[in-house]
Amino acid sequence: MAHAAPRPRAAIERAGTTDIFSARTHRAAKVVVPVLLGVVYGYWAAANRRYGGPITVENFLFGFLTGLVFTLVFMALLALAPKVRRELHAVLWAAFGGSAVGFLVIQAASPGVLRSAALGLAVAAGVFLTMFYRFYTHEDATGHRVG
């Protein structure tokens, strides 16, 4: 019967990390990713609101402010949510995701408030289940990452 050859101890210790980016790249990503998502979100909300019509100053300002608020809330969640317990952490992300999608749907050409609320709640439920599973499998009960 064949057995695997033992690896040197140094190789085992290095194999524990899967991070391929530097700390500088992670710091930059904490700013760049929310800003890019905010730009996309703001453009999407403005496009939904103008119903295919011409771009106006009011429409541009609406998209800019919507994207700015999205970016600021996203950055606040990235900074503050990991400091709470995993259940509340998942609820915060679910509320953010559900409200963001619900807001986009209500900006469309007469979708109806009930349809917007239903879609927002469905997205929030999916985000909650996904995030709770992730936090439950990657953190201990006090919120510290395992492994």
Side-chain angles (χ1 to χ4, degrees):
M1 181 179 287
H3 294 283
R7 292 187 349 193
R9 186 127 182 100
I12 293 172
E13 291 172 3
R14 278 196 318 268
T17 180
T18 58
D19 195 7
I20 59 173
F21 297 111
S22 67
R24 181 176 177 219
T25 304
H26 282 282
R27 282 192 308 272
K30 283 188 177 182
V31 175
V32 172
V33 169
V35 169
L36 288 177
L37 289 176
V39 167
V40 169
Y41 188 84
Y43 176 76
W44 194 345
N48 280 353
R49 191 162 191 209
R50 67 184 165 97
Y51 310 125
I55 297 174
T56 62
V57 173
E58 177 187 344
N59 185 259
F60 177 78
L61 287 176
F62 175 78
F64 178 77
L65 291 176
T66 302
L68 181 66
V69 169
F70 180 89
T71 300
L72 292 176
V73 172
F74 192 94
M75 291 174 88
L77 273 175
L78 286 177
L80 301 175
K83 297 178 181 171
V84 298
R85 291 180 50 90
R86 60 186 172 202
E87 295 85 4
L88 183 58
H89 194 173
V91 167
L92 290 174
W93 280 109
F96 176 69
S99 62
V101 169
F103 181 77
L104 282 180
V105 172
I106 201 70
Q107 296 302 318
S110 71
V113 174
L114 290 178
R115 179 176 165 208
S116 173
L119 188 58
L121 287 173
V123 168
V127 170
F128 175 77
L129 291 174
T130 304
M131 288 297 161
F132 184 77
Y133 175 77
R134 182 190 181 281
F135 299 141
Y136 195 79
T137 58
H138 289 77
E139 296 177 355
D140 61 9
T142 59
H144 299 101
R145 288 189 178 187
V146 177

